[in-house]
Amino acid sequence: MAVVLITGCSTGIGLEAALAFARRGYTTYASMRSLTKATALEDRARAAGLDVDVEQLDVGDEKSVAAAVGAIEDRHGAIDVLVNNAGIGSGGPIETIDLDKAMAVFDTNVWGAVRTIRAALPAMRANRSGVIINVTSVAGRVPGCLLYTSPSPRDHLAHRVCRLL
């Protein structure tokens, strides 16, 4: 069965995606920055009789990304499906947003996806197989969400990366 790595699984779409992949029999690795936030996922997986492995992975830290991807590849040879779901947000009028917060949003939402793609893609390319899914948001249609949704390169990355495989 295919090996799936999903980032940002402590809540929301990432948590639900991990359960959905596991429910379909995929070898599922759910990652998150802090394993102290894994309880909800682990409890729901256990209650449903699902096997979900939780990995510590901070998309903002290249060493963390390399360690998590490397550990999974050591066990399975390659990741078959990478789901870049990790993201953070900060809203409000652009002229009032703290620049450090803005940079953190871009680092997580854009460069975090780039880091995980760069880590997983070589083995996918070597296998001539793999799927990369970049989760983005429709919040761009909501006033005050410019910063959260402006990292649109995630959409562009998905198109370009899939064509490379």
Side-chain angles (χ1 to χ4, degrees):
M1 190 50 71
V3 176
V4 179
L5 170 61
I6 308 162
T7 65
C9 292
S10 59
T11 62
I13 292 171
L15 186 151
E16 296 298 334
L19 296 172
F21 276 106
R23 199 172 293 117
R24 286 163 181 76
Y26 291 95
T27 301
T28 305
Y29 287 89
S31 71
M32 55 194 72
R33 279 184 297 198
S34 173
L35 296 182
T36 61
K37 296 182 178 182
T39 306
L41 173 60
E42 291 171 334
D43 289 348
R44 289 195 48 203
R46 189 173 20 265
L50 300 173
D51 187 23
V52 176
D53 291 303
V54 178
E55 289 283 330
Q56 193 282 326
L57 189 160
D58 179 353
V59 299
D61 179 346
E62 193 157 348
K63 289 180 182 178
S64 175
V65 171
V69 170
I72 295 167
E73 288 178 348
D74 286 348
R75 285 180 230 139
H76 302 283
I79 293 166
D80 299 299
V81 179
L82 170 62
V83 181
N84 282 310
N85 173 69
I88 60 173
S90 183
I94 195 73
E95 71 275 11
T96 65
I97 294 173
D98 178 87
L99 189 55
D100 289 335
K101 286 183 182 177
M103 292 174 78
V105 169
F106 270 71
D107 187 57
T108 298
N109 297 3
V110 177
W111 299 117
V114 170
R115 285 182 194 101
T116 57
I117 290 168
R118 287 173 51 102
L121 190 58
M124 288 180 171
R125 188 173 282 135
N127 286 347
R128 302 185 60 78
S129 176
V131 174
I132 297 171
I133 301 167
N134 293 314
V135 178
T136 59
S137 176
V138 297
R141 297 175 186 258
V142 178
C145 290
L146 173 67
L147 182 61
Y148 178 67
T149 59
S150 58
S152 61
R154 286 171 62 174
D155 291 324
H156 209 62
L157 283 171
H159 178 69
R160 288 179 182 237
V161 169
C162 290
R163 288 181 49 187
L164 291 174
L165 295 177

